[in-house]
């Protein structure tokens, strides 16, 4: 019962944690906090490399205690990591992690920024990182962020002075931030940016240090702290009923795809920042010392402060609307400011406060979640004033679809006003998509050429309703995105973005199709209508040497949302070959070849992305022994589907059901990535798995991390210790340590060619210590490092085989790497 009560409280205090798509409805305490932030004119930019790198304690402290405008600049969107909540990887994972960062910022009060850098995977040195990212371009994005955000203070999460000691992306973020600190004020550097912004010089640059960077708490206690500032980030906020640390934990827990759920702390908690550039404050608890953060900071700002400071001081928590007359006066003065930067920021803030304080609710919703170009849509509009303030709804404009209405209607207290309109989507309107995915990028960079888009966390929804309302004689525009709203029997009121989709989309379920047995396969292509009454023709492009039948198919779809499966026969060549197939649909001389992908999780807004529809096909020269595979799912991968592609019967095993009797019939049991980090039951089932091996079974463990292992004493039948060893160069040379071992020879002869075309890395978290009972099969290394021999270890145990591998099969299978399939088939075939 106490847990349910806590969840209910969190829903009241932070409704966006439960349903991130609903509109904000601030209470009186949140309105007062917004007033405090309105009266603070100072900014902090926190800089790191990935989603989850940010220190949410410090971001929340700066945003909620100091009241500074605070943003996190994440250089990447986290595309290269693993996904613990679903099957999405790479670009789709980047979309999820982008939204998780935005959910985190809604929780801790910060803002979110990005660069165009692509998270290509783990990197051991910033030299490698910056060569793949294109240092010049990412540096320009960091400078752009500084010039646009105009921070007084920058805080780096990582130390630029220690290259090679941590993830190369981490150190690179600090290197770029440190260089940008000095360059952002120089109008000769990236001058093309100055068409859209101005130069800017931050006052101070810090490194967010801690005892961890000193090796131990003892070393940190002895260290010189003369250049360090200390903050107690455990401060308690009575108006919210939460400590700063608890808010920070709620924020960090939004990184669900990475399994970063965090328990809130209470009590004193110190954070330290070390001065890197600029003048050290004398007051080591005041990061803004010597920087005017009042309204006096800007020309003609004093008169605004003279109005707003008393509003904050004498705020009526029982009747927030009592502040409206003074707020609208201040709004008028803000519109007269010459400082366009602060004018834009403070206009947005005060408009939101006026709406919240007056209970002004404005909404424009569609009757459909999506539509196509050229289609007519219906929109329902609601406007209600829940205060005694004098208001007149002057106009409602949704200019993108030709709606312009001038009701000039008084908005009486708590009286709902509704309107209905129809409009048409222009034929040249852009499809809904993550803007950084619109063009094909490189390994290290997303391709975004519009300077004004660079750094934005997400694509702005362009169909917006502008409500012009006169409040106490002052005319104010309020902008709301047009959204889709429906009622769910379980969740109740549910909001989704209103989206523009193609007339038709096509997809092939399997993104890799392996031809291992036989030269012909049926290729089902799912087509889906974006509107009613569509007829057209579909063809399938294919690599040279492959054959398709029939050459084309005609189709008709009568209803919007209707789906149909069309079947092509694809015949592979006799020899090993690989390439891509892609559906092409012709309707009225227009060609459509995109796939619409939706991402739907409760903790982030509903996402729709548009990508080219294509599937890799591989004619594979492969032999295999054994047929029935048991698979224990780990932290999310497509290995089971990949094994089915090459003809295995794969059964997913529920860890709870593992007994000696239940698993004895499998030719091999494969354990998914990080299973021993995430599945508690394996602690109690390991004995049965090892007994299965002893009785003649074949157990294959894929990589686990050396932290948070559920099974630590007997991960294998003999002593085995995991490390953080990894080889990040996907082209690193592979040496065969045991060339005559069956795993390299039966039933497939493994050669250097089988390690061609690997993606992102060779492998990760290799064992670095093991007993003599294990045979190391391979060695490999990154440039300048020692050989790593733990990528593939095989041990005979009883009648069976135990195999531990850190090779990144979970990445290679989705990429259709032929050699990865052949090696895995050999592992399954051992002893058969």
């Amino acid at each position: 019962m106490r847990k349910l009560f806590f969840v209910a409280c969190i829903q009241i205090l932070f409704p966006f944690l439960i349903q991130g798509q609903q509109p904000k409805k601030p209470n009186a305490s949140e309105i007062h906090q917004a007033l405090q932030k309105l009266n603070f004119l100072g900014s902090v930019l926190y800089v790191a490399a990935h989603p989850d790198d940010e220190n949410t304690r410090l971001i929340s402290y700066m945003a909620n205690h100091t009241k500074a405008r605070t943003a996190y600049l994440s250089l990447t969107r986290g595309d290269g990591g693993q996904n613990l909540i679903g099957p999405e990887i790479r670009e789709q994972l980047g979309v999820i992690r982008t939204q998780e960062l935005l959910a985190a910022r809604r929780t801790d009060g910060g803002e979110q920024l990005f660069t165009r850098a692509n998270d290509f995977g783990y990197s051991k040195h910033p030299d490698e990182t910056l060569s793949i990212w294109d240092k010049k371009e990412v540096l320009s994005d960091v400078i752009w962020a500084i010039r646009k955000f105009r921070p007084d203070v920058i805080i780096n999460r990582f130390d630029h002075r220690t290259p090679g000691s941590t993830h190369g992306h981490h150190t690179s973020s600090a290197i770029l931030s440190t260089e940008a600190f000095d360059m952002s004020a120089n109008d000769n550097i990236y001058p093309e940016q100055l068409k859209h912004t101005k130069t800017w010089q931050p006052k101070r640059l810090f490194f967010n240090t801690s005892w961890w960077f000193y090796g131990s708490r003892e070393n940190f206690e002895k260290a010189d702290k003369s250049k360090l500032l200390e903050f107690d980030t455990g401060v308690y906020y009575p108006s919210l009923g939460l400590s700063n640390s608890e808010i920070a934990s709620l924020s960090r827990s939004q990184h669900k795809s990475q399994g970063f759920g965090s328990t809130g702390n209470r009590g004193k908690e110190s954070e330290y920042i070390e001065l890197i550039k600029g003048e050290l404050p004398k007051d080591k608890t005041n990061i803004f010392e010597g920087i005017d953060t009042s309204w006096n900071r800007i020309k003609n700002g004093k008169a605004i402060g003279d109005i707003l400071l008393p509003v904050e001081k004498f705020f009526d928590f029982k009747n927030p609307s009592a502040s409206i007359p003074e707020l609208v006066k201040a709004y008028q003065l803000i519109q007269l400011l010459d400082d366009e930067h602060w004018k834009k920021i403070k206009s947005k803030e005060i408009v939101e406060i006026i709406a919240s304080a007056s209970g002004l609710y404005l909404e424009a919703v569609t009757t459909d979640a999506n539509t196509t170009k050229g289609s007519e849509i219906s929109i329902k509009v609601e406007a209600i004033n829940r205060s005694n303030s004098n208001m007149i709804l002057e106009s409602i404009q949704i200019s993108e679809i030709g709606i312009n209405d001038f009701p000039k209607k008084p908005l009486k207290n708590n009286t709902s006003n509704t309107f209905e309109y129809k409009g048409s989507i222009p034929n040249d309107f852009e499809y809904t998509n993550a803007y950084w995915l619109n063009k094909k990028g490189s390994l290290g960079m997303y391709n975004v050429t519009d300077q004004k888009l660079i750094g934005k966390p997400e694509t702005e929804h362009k169909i917006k309703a502008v409500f012009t309302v006169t409040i106490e004689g002052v005319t104010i525009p309020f902008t709301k995105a047009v959204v889709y709203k429906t009622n769910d029997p379980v969740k109740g009121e549910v909001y989704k973005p209103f989206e523009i989709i193609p007339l038709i989309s096509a997809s092939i379920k399997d993104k890799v199709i392996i031809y291992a047995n036989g030269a012909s396969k049926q290729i089902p292509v799912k087509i889906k209508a974006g509107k009613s009454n569509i007829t057209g023709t579909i063809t399938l492009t294919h690599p040279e040497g492959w054959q398709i039948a029939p050459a084309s198919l005609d189709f008709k779809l009568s209803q919007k949302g209707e789906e149909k499966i069309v079947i092509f026969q694809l015949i592979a060549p006799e020899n090993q070959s690989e390439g891509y197939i892609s559906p092409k649909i012709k309707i009225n001389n227009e060609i459509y070849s995109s796939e619409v992908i939706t991402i739907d999780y409760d903790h982030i807004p509903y996402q729709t992305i548009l990508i080219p529809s294509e599937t890799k096909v591989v004619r594979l020269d492969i032999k295999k022994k054994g047929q029935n595979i048991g698979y224990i799912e780990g932290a999310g991968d497509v290995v089971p589907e990949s094994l089915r592609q090459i003809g295995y019967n794969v059964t997913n095993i529920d860890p709870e059901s593992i007994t000696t009797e239940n698993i004895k019939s499998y030719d091999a049991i494969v354990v998914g990535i990080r299973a021993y980090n995430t599945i508690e039951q394996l602690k109690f089932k390991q004995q049965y798995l090892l007994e299965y091996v002893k009785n003649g079974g074949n157990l294959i463990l894929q990589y686990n991390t050396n932290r948070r292992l559920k099974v630590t004493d007997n991960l294998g039948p003999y002593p085995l210790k995991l490390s953080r060893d990894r080889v990040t160069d996907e082209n690193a040379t592979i040496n065969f340590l045991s060339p005559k071992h069956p795993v390299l020879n039966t039933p497939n002869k493994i050669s250097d060619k089988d390690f061609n075309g690997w993606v992102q890395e060779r492998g990760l978290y290799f064992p670095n210590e093991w007993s003599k009972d294990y045979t190391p099969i391979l060695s490999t290394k990154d440039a300048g490092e020692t050989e790593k021999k733990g990528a593939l270890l095989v041990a005979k145990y009883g009648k069976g085989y135990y195999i531990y591998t850190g090779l990144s099969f979970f990445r290679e299978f989705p990429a259709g790497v032929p050699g990865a399939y052949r090696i895995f088939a050999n592992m399954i075939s051992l002893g058969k």
Side-chain angles (χ1 to χ4, degrees):
M1 179 63 71
R2 293 183 65 189
K3 180 179 179 182
L4 292 175
F5 175 75
F6 175 77
V7 172
C9 291
I10 292 302
Q11 288 185 13
I12 293 170
L13 289 168
F14 299 98
F16 42 78
L17 294 181
I18 307 303
Q19 176 51 263
Q21 296 153 159
Q22 292 190 8
K24 294 180 182 179
K25 300 172 184 176
N27 58 38
S29 292
E30 292 167 330
I31 295 170
H32 185 251
Q33 187 176 27
L35 278 169
Q36 293 175 311
K37 292 178 74 71
L38 182 64
N39 283 323
F40 192 95
L41 280 72
S43 301
V44 176
L45 182 65
Y46 197 90
V47 181
H50 310 106
D52 83 5
D53 284 344
E54 80 274 26
N55 185 336
T56 54
R57 293 184 300 274
L58 201 50
I59 289 175
S60 179
Y61 181 86
M62 292 298 165
N64 297 304
H65 180 77
T66 306
K67 310 300 180 186
R69 181 175 177 240
T70 308
Y72 173 41
L73 174 61
S74 176
L75 268 60
T76 76
R77 297 178 184 268
D79 326 71
Q82 286 89 54
N83 183 1
L84 301 187
I85 62 173
E88 298 88 356
I89 58 173
R90 291 305 306 157
E91 291 85 358
Q92 293 179 48
L93 178 58
V95 171
I96 291 174
R97 291 191 171 178
T98 292
Q99 291 300 322
E100 288 179 338
L101 274 175
L102 288 169
R105 300 294 80 78
R106 287 192 293 270
T107 306
D108 57 36
E111 300 176 37
Q112 187 61 50
L113 304 171
F114 291 96
T115 73
R116 291 169 292 170
N118 192 342
D119 179 6
F120 57 83
Y122 193 87
S123 174
K124 293 183 176 179
H125 199 280
D127 288 349
E128 178 195 32
T129 299
L130 294 174
S131 64
I132 294 175
W133 274 355
D134 188 340
K135 178 182 178 181
K136 178 182 176 183
E137 293 302 314
V138 182
L139 178 60
S140 79
D141 291 358
V142 177
I143 291 174
W144 171 253
I146 293 172
R147 287 172 173 175
K148 290 285 289 181
F149 190 75
R150 296 174 70 177
D152 299 299
V153 175
I154 298 176
I155 303 174
N156 290 343
R157 183 68 182 106
F158 300 104
D159 192 346
H160 68 289
R161 299 162 296 191
T162 55
S165 63
T166 183
H167 196 325
H169 296 185
H170 292 170
T171 311
S172 295
S173 70
I175 290 172
L176 294 171
S177 174
T178 304
E179 292 184 13
F181 181 89
D182 294 322
M183 300 169 74
S184 58
N186 187 336
D187 57 11
N188 292 317
I189 294 176
Y190 302 110
E192 66 279 2
Q193 295 181 0
L194 304 181
K195 299 174 184 176
H196 311 286
T197 189
K198 296 180 179 179
T199 58
W200 179 252
Q201 180 58 62
K203 301 295 189 298
R204 298 181 178 113
L205 173 68
F206 293 93
F207 158 48
N208 183 193
T209 191
S210 70
W211 68 265
W212 188 87
F213 290 98
Y214 287 78
S216 68
R217 295 183 185 275
E218 182 180 8
N219 290 344
F220 184 64
E221 290 301 320
K222 297 176 182 178
D224 177 14
K225 297 184 180 62
S226 59
K227 287 190 175 184
L228 268 59
L229 274 63
E230 179 181 1
F231 305 99
D232 176 12
T233 58
V235 61
Y236 176 67
Y237 304 122
S239 62
L240 297 178
L242 293 168
S243 71
N244 186 76
S245 300
E246 288 173 311
I247 294 174
S249 293
L250 290 169
S251 173
R252 189 159 183 79
S253 295
Q254 298 310 300
H255 295 298
K256 298 184 188 302
S257 66
Q258 301 178 77
F260 275 14
S262 177
T263 302
N265 297 325
R266 286 147 294 279
K268 181 179 174 65
E269 192 163 9
S270 292
E271 284 290 338
Y272 298 89
I273 56 175
E274 176 189 354
L275 184 72
I276 301 298
K277 290 180 179 288
E279 185 178 349
L280 185 70
K282 295 178 182 178
D283 179 0
K284 292 192 176 182
T285 63
N286 182 8
I287 199 172
F288 285 100
E289 184 185 78
I291 301 171
D292 190 349
T293 57
S294 72
W295 280 101
N296 296 330
R297 176 174 192 160
I298 54 178
K299 182 181 178 182
N300 299 323
K302 183 179 183 302
I304 300 170
D306 290 343
I307 295 172
L308 290 178
L309 288 170
V311 171
E312 176 191 332
K313 184 176 181 180
F314 301 109
F315 180 72
D316 187 343
F317 285 85
K318 293 183 178 180
N319 181 22
S321 65
S323 302
I324 295 299
E326 295 301 292
L327 287 170
V328 296
K329 288 180 186 177
Y331 170 81
Q332 284 182 300
L333 293 178
I334 290 173
Q335 305 317 298
L336 301 176
L337 291 174
D338 294 329
D339 190 318
E340 290 296 326
H341 175 74
W342 286 112
K343 176 181 176 180
K344 181 179 179 181
I345 293 168
K346 296 303 175 182
S347 292
K348 182 175 183 293
E349 289 180 6
I350 199 169
V351 164
E352 291 177 355
I353 291 171
I354 290 170
S356 300
S358 64
L360 177 61
Y361 188 82
L362 303 168
E363 183 176 81
V365 300
T366 62
T367 54
D368 291 297
N370 53 59
T371 192
T372 58
K373 297 178 182 181
S375 296
E376 184 179 75
I377 62 170
S378 298
I379 294 180
K380 295 181 179 180
V381 170
E382 180 184 3
I384 182 169
N385 166 26
R386 291 171 289 187
S387 74
N388 290 318
S389 300
N390 295 316
M391 294 191 191
I392 299 173
L393 178 58
E394 301 287 355
S395 67
I396 302 169
Q397 296 177 296
I398 312 177
S399 57
E400 294 86 356
I401 56 174
I403 295 174
N404 292 281
D405 189 22
F406 300 89
K408 295 189 178 297
K409 185 172 185 177
L411 299 180
K412 297 179 181 180
N413 186 4
N414 211 31
T415 300
S416 180
N417 301 271
T418 59
F419 309 83
E420 293 189 10
Y421 303 102
K422 290 187 181 296
S424 295
I425 306 297
N427 288 317
D428 60 351
F429 209 81
E430 291 184 1
Y431 294 125
T432 300
N433 198 23
Y435 72 86
W436 60 95
L437 300 180
N438 282 333
K439 298 178 181 178
K440 187 175 179 61
S442 64
L443 173 64
M445 294 288 293
Y446 280 116
N447 184 2
V448 181
T449 55
D450 185 344
Q451 183 67 54
K452 290 179 287 186
L453 284 177
I454 293 172
K456 287 184 178 291
E458 59 183 338
T459 305
E460 293 183 10
H461 287 274
K462 295 184 178 179
I463 302 180
K464 298 179 180 180
V466 179
F467 299 83
T468 303
V469 184
T470 298
I471 304 177
E472 300 296 346
V474 177
T475 301
I476 303 173
F478 297 85
T479 302
K480 300 287 182 179
V482 173
V483 296
Y484 170 69
K485 182 173 73 172
T486 188
N487 181 71
D488 183 275
V490 176
K491 299 178 182 178
E493 190 176 58
V494 174
Y495 286 81
K496 289 184 179 180
F498 174 60
E499 300 173 323
I500 312 302
I501 61 174
L503 193 64
I504 194 164
S505 61
S507 63
I508 302 172
K509 179 184 177 181
D510 296 317
K511 301 309 174 187
V512 174
I513 298 177
I514 305 295
Y515 285 71
N517 299 302
S520 177
K521 283 193 177 186
Q522 288 188 338
I523 308 295
V525 181
K526 182 172 72 174
I527 55 177
K528 184 175 182 178
K531 66 179 299 185
S532 301
N533 299 318
I534 297 175
T535 59
T537 302
I538 180 170
T539 60
L540 198 64
T541 64
H542 53 84
E544 185 177 352
W546 296 64
Q547 300 176 44
I548 191 78
S552 65
L553 288 167
D554 296 330
F555 66 88
K556 179 178 181 180
L557 298 173
S558 301
Q559 300 295 322
K560 177 181 178 178
E562 182 181 352
E563 296 178 350
K564 179 175 288 187
I565 303 292
V566 297
I567 306 292
F568 289 93
Q569 199 77 16
L570 183 63
I571 303 169
E574 292 185 4
N575 298 322
Q576 186 158 306
S577 172
E578 57 187 281
Y580 290 88
I581 57 174
S582 177
K584 303 291 182 186
I585 301 174
K586 187 176 182 181
I587 300 174
N588 297 329
N589 295 319
E590 294 261 354
I591 301 296
Y592 299 85
S593 59
S594 294
E595 176 179 1
V596 175
I597 295 174
T598 58
I599 299 173
D600 191 8
Y601 293 101
D602 284 344
H603 67 297
I604 60 174
Y606 187 88
Q607 299 292 300
T608 295
I609 59 176
L610 201 62
I611 63 171
S613 180
E614 64 178 18
T615 285
K616 186 174 184 179
V617 290
V618 180
R619 176 67 170 94
L620 184 59
D621 179 14
I622 188 171
K623 301 180 182 69
K624 60 186 192 304
K625 297 180 181 179
Q627 188 63 28
N628 297 314
I629 310 299
Y631 198 89
I632 301 172
E633 290 188 350
D637 58 55
V638 297
V639 172
E641 296 90 330
S642 300
L643 295 178
R644 292 185 184 106
Q645 285 263 13
I646 56 176
Y648 288 109
N649 294 326
V650 182
T651 303
N652 287 349
I653 298 175
D654 178 4
E656 288 281 5
S657 70
I658 294 175
T659 65
T660 300
E661 187 65 24
N662 288 350
I663 61 177
K664 67 179 183 180
S665 62
Y666 293 114
D667 294 312
I669 293 176
V670 180
V671 184
I673 61 173
R674 295 172 67 176
Y676 285 79
N677 298 122
T678 57
I679 302 176
E680 188 74 29
Q681 297 96 316
L682 288 180
K683 180 189 303 183
F684 312 105
K685 302 297 182 176
Q686 181 72 348
Q687 58 178 321
Y688 301 114
L689 293 173
L690 294 181
E691 186 177 350
Y692 160 80
V693 178
K694 193 172 185 179
N695 292 334
N698 198 348
L699 180 64
I700 301 170
L701 267 67
Q702 297 176 86
Y703 97 90
N704 291 269
T705 67
N706 56 359
R707 294 179 58 204
R708 301 178 182 173
L709 274 171
K710 307 299 183 185
V711 178
T712 56
D713 296 330
N714 60 338
L715 191 62
Y718 311 111
L720 175 73
K721 183 177 180 181
L722 303 184
S723 74
R724 296 182 64 85
D725 286 352
R726 62 197 303 163
V727 176
T728 61
D729 181 358
E730 62 269 37
N731 298 310
T733 300
I734 297 287
N735 298 308
F736 294 174
L737 300 176
S738 304
K740 296 182 179 180
H741 194 284
V743 79
L744 293 177
N745 293 279
T746 306
N748 302 288
K749 179 67 175 178
I750 304 302
S751 70
D752 293 340
K753 292 181 180 179
D754 289 296
F755 290 93
N756 292 341
W758 283 52
V759 298
Q760 193 159 329
E761 61 197 351
R762 287 299 191 195
L764 62 170
Y765 292 99
F766 298 158
N768 65 346
E769 295 181 22
W770 52 85
S771 77
K772 61 181 177 56
D773 302 280
Y774 293 97
T775 301
I777 305 298
L778 308 168
S779 74
T780 184
K781 66 174 184 175
D782 282 319
E785 295 193 354
T786 58
E787 290 284 331
K788 306 295 186 288
K789 299 181 179 181
L792 179 58
L793 301 177
V794 181
K796 191 79 168 67
Y797 180 60
K799 299 177 182 178
Y801 285 91
Y802 172 93
I803 303 169
Y804 188 94
T805 179
L807 293 172
S808 59
F809 292 104
F810 71 102
R811 295 198 190 281
E812 311 316 316
F813 284 174
V817 177
Y821 285 90
R822 286 163 46 83
I823 296 166
F824 214 96
N826 278 18
M827 294 193 301
I828 290 173
S829 301
L830 270 179
K832 304 296 183 294

